[in-house]
Amino acid sequence: MIVYFEIVLMLVVINAFYIQGQAYIKPAIYGLGVESLIIGATIAAIGLLQFSWELLLLGILVITLRAFAITYVLDRSFAGKSRLKKEPTNITSMFVIDMFTLIFAIIIFQFFLIDYLKLNAPQLLFAIALFFQGLFLIASRKNTYIQVIGYVEEENAMILFGIFIITIPLLIEASVLLDVLALILVISIVVREKDEHLAIEELKG
Amino acid sequence: MLQTFLIPTLIILVPVLASISGLTRWYRHITVGASIIDAVMSLFLFKNVQASFYLVNNTTWIFSMMIILIYVLSALFSLEYISSANSGIPEGAYYSLMNIFVSTMLFTVLINNYGLMWIGIEATTISSALLLLSEKSQVALEVAWRYIILVSAGVAVAFISIILIYYSLGTLTVSIALESTGNAKVLALAVAIALVGFGTKVGVFPVHTWLPDAHSEAPAPISAMFSGILLPTALYVLYMLYRLHPLTELFLAFGLISVTFATAAMANQRSFKRLFAYSTMENMNIALIGLAIGGSGIIGAILLLVSHAFGKAGAFYSSGIISRKYNTKNIDDVAGAQGLRLTSTALILSSMAVTGAPPFANFIGEFLIITQLFKMGLTPEAVFLSMMIATAFITVNYHVTKMVFKGKKTLDEPKMMAVVAIISSLVPLVLGLVMVI
């Protein structure tokens, strides 16, 4: 069963590569929805197997708030714009750098979690890989929608991190999920007016 | 029951209820009224030590009072400063968001749970981001965006430290966690990650980049709240995490690097609002050093934070008036601000306060921190910090003196805003004189 979860979590990392490779915004938004859906379903499945109603409820919340609500908000926010909005980017070099991000995640996992903290949770590798992929997405793109997706990927990684180290009390996890949803709603207002992140003379120095 | 749960709950809820007034015509007066009610209620928390759902002690009381008093001043200043004609968001929405923003900060300092503190910090970003759009411009949009994405990404990192604390101690209740012992390696990593994560909101180098942009583009009352109370709130959370496993050398090193960077950046500023923003970064990191080294450094840091809150609020209020009157934020384009008598007096007093001139309370705070460094045998660090403080003093006061005394221009002064600015600027002086006497 553990092998099954690791294969599923591998899909999350591959999906993050898919998002990184997207030049168009819409597929990246849906890619994020799929990622959240896989994570939510995995948590719910673990909850069912361990007879933990907290994990089951958390999985359902992730599916509802992350996979559907956030995808819906981002999709609606993007709806008024060109359906085929494309961000000019060199996908090949992005992909190579993303591979290096993954290697960096493996090094962090080995040195900090295995050697230093002596944690016995190999699934954490996927959480760290997703976290760095999210950070890289924020740093490497100028489009605000893609940067938002990077941020939500980071938050998804936090959920995985919590699940495989120690399950945080549901009250706090649920509040975090609602907090992020509220933040995405605020972001959608700003993003509607502002498509691209640009350098501005007044903000130098 | 009344004092342990009801009063802190009401203190947090009053601004939330006031935020509903955004739907009515009386939002301005309801906001001012709510801030005064909160100030009165917070007096009942004094000496009412408790650690249940809320954590109330002398430190949290001081932080709560600081938040509420700056809330009162900013609400009063906004009465004249904010109007729908020149705002990027409706006036009612501005007051609603301001009230929620205050409520999230009060929740963060009063709650007795690390996880909920994290949520409180994230909520401050949600409630304050749209306030940055009050200045109707493309620059404000860019700044709001940078603020949201940089701070949220940084604070997300801090959630790792919350998970590690729960893993190590099995509790997130602050009062219990502070008395527990856990895996030292896990706690050390949690505190180091918190420095990066919450450090983003505190303004620790190199994760401070949102700070000068947000402070310079926000409307004056919001800049005052960002600088005077939002950053200290984040610093309070960082300090509560730090106490679990003090990494003194790491915090001292990052504090000193950040002070150095802020001082260097100040010397290179053309905008007076950015100049004050970097001064905030400098002050927050001096306070971080004080909290990290302990002893009299802690008293110094708290004194510095309180005094800085009022001093910097005064600086941003007077800067706001000047930028409206001169229609610029550029230092070189402002000459003869002495024509605005109360405003320029407030600007000079507040500049002297935030740069640690004696007898302002900021000076006493910084003096206590430097003394503690000497006591600990950290002489090079103490000398270096003193040099940085002196450099910042010269830089800020040189620019301010130039703006005020170079030439003379007669301008109409908005009386209400100028009075608020001068009251705020006088608090550090009065506090300093009281301490000396």
Side-chain angles (χ1 to χ4, degrees):
Chain A
M1 193 51 73
I2 287 170
V3 174
Y4 164 74
F5 285 129
E6 284 173 7
I7 291 169
V8 172
L9 292 173
M10 191 67 210
L11 283 178
V12 172
V13 176
I14 292 167
N15 187 68
F17 271 106
Y18 167 79
I19 294 170
Q20 181 69 64
Q22 291 308 305
Y24 292 95
I25 312 298
K26 276 266 173 181
I29 293 174
Y30 295 140
L32 179 71
V34 171
E35 178 186 299
S36 304
L37 189 64
I38 296 171
I39 291 170
T42 307
I43 296 168
I46 295 172
L48 279 174
L49 287 169
Q50 294 181 353
F51 301 106
S52 163
W53 68 269
E54 279 203 351
L55 282 179
L56 180 64
L57 200 57
L58 178 63
I60 293 168
L61 280 172
V62 171
I63 292 170
T64 317
L65 298 177
R66 285 273 161 91
F68 291 111
I70 287 182
T71 309
Y72 177 76
V73 171
L74 286 176
D75 194 43
R76 291 302 303 160
S77 164
F78 191 70
K81 301 177 189 289
S82 164
R83 305 290 290 181
L84 289 171
K85 177 88 182 175
K86 184 174 186 278
E87 192 195 11
T89 179
N90 187 342
I91 299 300
T92 318
S93 62
M94 290 282 175
F95 195 77
V96 172
I97 299 169
D98 208 6
M99 283 301 289
F100 279 109
T101 310
L102 195 59
I103 293 165
F104 184 64
I106 293 168
I107 293 167
I108 294 277
F109 171 73
Q110 185 62 41
F111 279 96
F112 277 96
L113 300 184
I114 304 294
D115 296 344
Y116 180 71
L117 296 182
K118 313 277 184 217
L119 289 175
N120 183 25
Q123 299 89 348
L124 285 176
L125 174 62
F126 302 107
I128 293 174
L130 187 61
F131 178 78
F132 282 110
Q133 282 177 304
L135 271 184
F136 176 61
L137 205 55
I138 296 171
S140 63
R141 299 294 193 93
K142 282 184 178 172
N143 186 282
T144 47
Y145 283 91
I146 297 283
Q147 289 180 331
V148 175
I149 290 168
Y151 164 66
V152 181
E153 271 195 350
E154 227 189 305
E155 291 286 352
N156 278 345
M158 286 302 109
I159 293 179
L160 286 179
F161 202 78
I163 293 298
F164 293 113
I165 286 192
I166 186 166
T167 312
I168 294 283
L170 187 64
L171 169 74
I172 291 170
E173 284 282 21
S175 309
V176 171
L177 287 167
L178 287 170
D179 237 13
V180 173
L181 179 62
L183 194 70
I184 296 295
L185 284 168
V186 169
I187 285 174
S188 70
I189 297 169
V190 178
V191 165
R192 253 173 232 229
E193 304 287 326
K194 182 161 189 61
D195 248 1
E196 284 222 326
H197 159 70
L198 301 166
I200 291 176
E201 183 62 30
E202 285 169 79
L203 302 179
K204 285 184 181 165
Chain B
M1 172 67 185
L2 182 75
Q3 290 208 326
T4 55
F5 187 78
L6 199 59
I7 292 175
T9 306
L10 283 174
I11 287 173
I12 295 164
L13 276 184
V14 164
V16 175
L17 293 172
S19 73
I20 302 167
S21 69
L23 302 170
T24 69
R25 281 183 298 150
W26 305 288
Y27 44 79
R28 300 152 130 248
H29 303 102
I30 290 176
T31 300
V32 174
S35 65
I36 293 167
I37 291 169
D38 244 13
V40 173
M41 277 197 302
S42 63
L43 295 173
F44 291 101
L45 283 184
F46 184 60
K47 295 280 182 194
N48 173 28
V49 178
Q50 53 162 302
S52 49
F53 185 70
Y54 296 110
L55 180 66
V56 180
N57 52 34
N58 290 342
T59 312
T60 55
W61 182 76
I62 290 170
F63 274 87
S64 307
M65 279 303 284
M66 197 167 86
I67 293 169
I68 292 166
L69 292 176
I70 297 295
Y71 172 38
V72 175
L73 291 171
S74 282
L76 287 169
F77 190 86
S78 298
L79 293 175
E80 263 187 44
Y81 192 83
I82 300 292
S83 69
S84 294
N86 54 27
S87 178
I89 56 171
E91 204 179 335
Y94 167 86
Y95 281 98
S96 292
L97 288 166
M98 183 200 216
N99 283 310
I100 296 170
F101 182 36
V102 170
S103 181
T104 54
M105 285 186 281
L106 288 168
F107 175 82
T108 308
V109 296
L110 287 172
I111 203 73
N112 189 18
N113 184 294
Y114 286 114
L116 294 175
M117 273 181 178
W118 184 91
I119 288 159
I121 289 287
E122 188 79 327
T124 58
T125 312
I126 299 166
S127 51
S128 59
L130 292 179
L131 285 167
L132 293 173
L133 300 180
S134 305
E135 301 278 307
K136 200 167 40 182
S137 66
Q138 274 301 311
V139 183
L141 262 175
E142 173 67 22
V143 163
W145 173 248
R146 285 189 193 184
Y147 172 59
I148 294 171
I149 201 72
L150 292 172
V151 172
S152 305
V155 174
V157 173
F159 198 66
I160 298 175
S161 61
I162 304 294
I163 294 168
L164 290 176
I165 288 165
Y166 192 57
Y167 171 70
S168 176
L169 301 174
T171 181
L172 287 175
T173 306
V174 179
S175 51
I176 298 172
L178 287 173
E179 285 170 11
S180 311
T181 44
N183 184 329
K185 282 183 176 179
V186 176
L187 287 177
L189 188 62
V191 173
I193 290 171
L195 178 63
V196 179
F198 289 117
T200 311
K201 201 112 184 178
V202 176
V204 175
F205 179 84
V207 283
H208 67 282
T209 48
W210 67 274
L211 192 151
D213 299 344
H215 283 66
S216 63
E217 287 307 313
I222 302 305
S223 298
M225 292 174 93
F226 268 53
S227 187
I229 50 180
L230 174 64
L231 272 66
T233 300
L235 183 56
Y236 166 77
V237 176
L238 181 58
Y239 175 59
M240 294 311 270
L241 282 152
Y242 169 82
R243 285 175 62 187
L244 292 171
H245 189 94
L247 296 172
T248 310
E249 289 84 1
L250 184 73
F251 275 58
L252 181 59
F254 270 90
L256 281 173
I257 292 168
S258 305
V259 170
T260 311
F261 178 85
T263 308
M266 266 188 262
N268 203 23
Q269 287 312 307
R270 285 172 293 168
S271 155
F272 50 85
K273 285 193 87 177
R274 284 181 84 82
L275 178 74
F276 286 125
Y278 278 111
S279 158
T280 300
M281 184 179 168
E282 184 221 9
N283 276 281
M284 286 306 120
N285 283 284
I286 295 171
L288 177 73
I289 292 169
L291 293 172
I293 57 177
S296 63
I298 296 176
I299 303 164
I302 292 173
L303 189 58
L304 176 62
L305 288 173
V306 173
S307 190
H308 171 264
F310 292 96
K312 195 51 70 65
F316 277 115
Y317 295 146
S318 41
S319 301
I321 299 169
I322 289 171
S323 94
R324 277 274 165 89
K325 287 289 161 190
Y326 285 82
N327 201 24
T328 183
K329 290 173 191 160
N330 204 328
I331 294 167
D332 293 334
D333 295 340
V334 177
Q338 57 181 310
L340 300 161
R341 289 183 62 184
L342 284 174
T343 306
S344 58
T345 309
L347 185 67
I348 289 171
L349 283 172
S350 55
S351 303
M352 289 175 75
V354 298
T355 50
F360 290 88
N362 305 56
F363 169 76
I364 301 168
E366 288 172 355
F367 181 77
L368 287 171
I369 294 168
I370 291 167
T371 310
Q372 180 64 25
L373 281 170
F374 277 118
K375 271 188 208 163
M376 292 170 74
L378 298 166
T379 309
E381 286 86 348
V383 172
F384 184 73
L385 185 61
S386 309
M387 281 165 58
M388 288 298 117
I389 291 170
T391 310
F393 177 86
I394 295 165
T395 309
V396 172
N397 289 301
Y398 167 72
H399 285 309
V400 167
T401 312
K402 205 168 70 173
M403 282 164 63
V404 173
F405 296 111
K406 192 178 144 194
K408 182 150 187 175
K409 202 172 176 181
T410 310
L411 293 159
D412 283 337
E413 191 163 39
K415 285 285 177 290
M416 169 84 166
M417 291 198 284
V419 168
V420 172
I422 206 142
I423 289 171
S424 194
S425 311
L426 281 170
V427 174
L429 181 62
V430 173
L431 204 59
L433 289 173
V434 168
M435 299 230 30
V436 169
I437 294 163

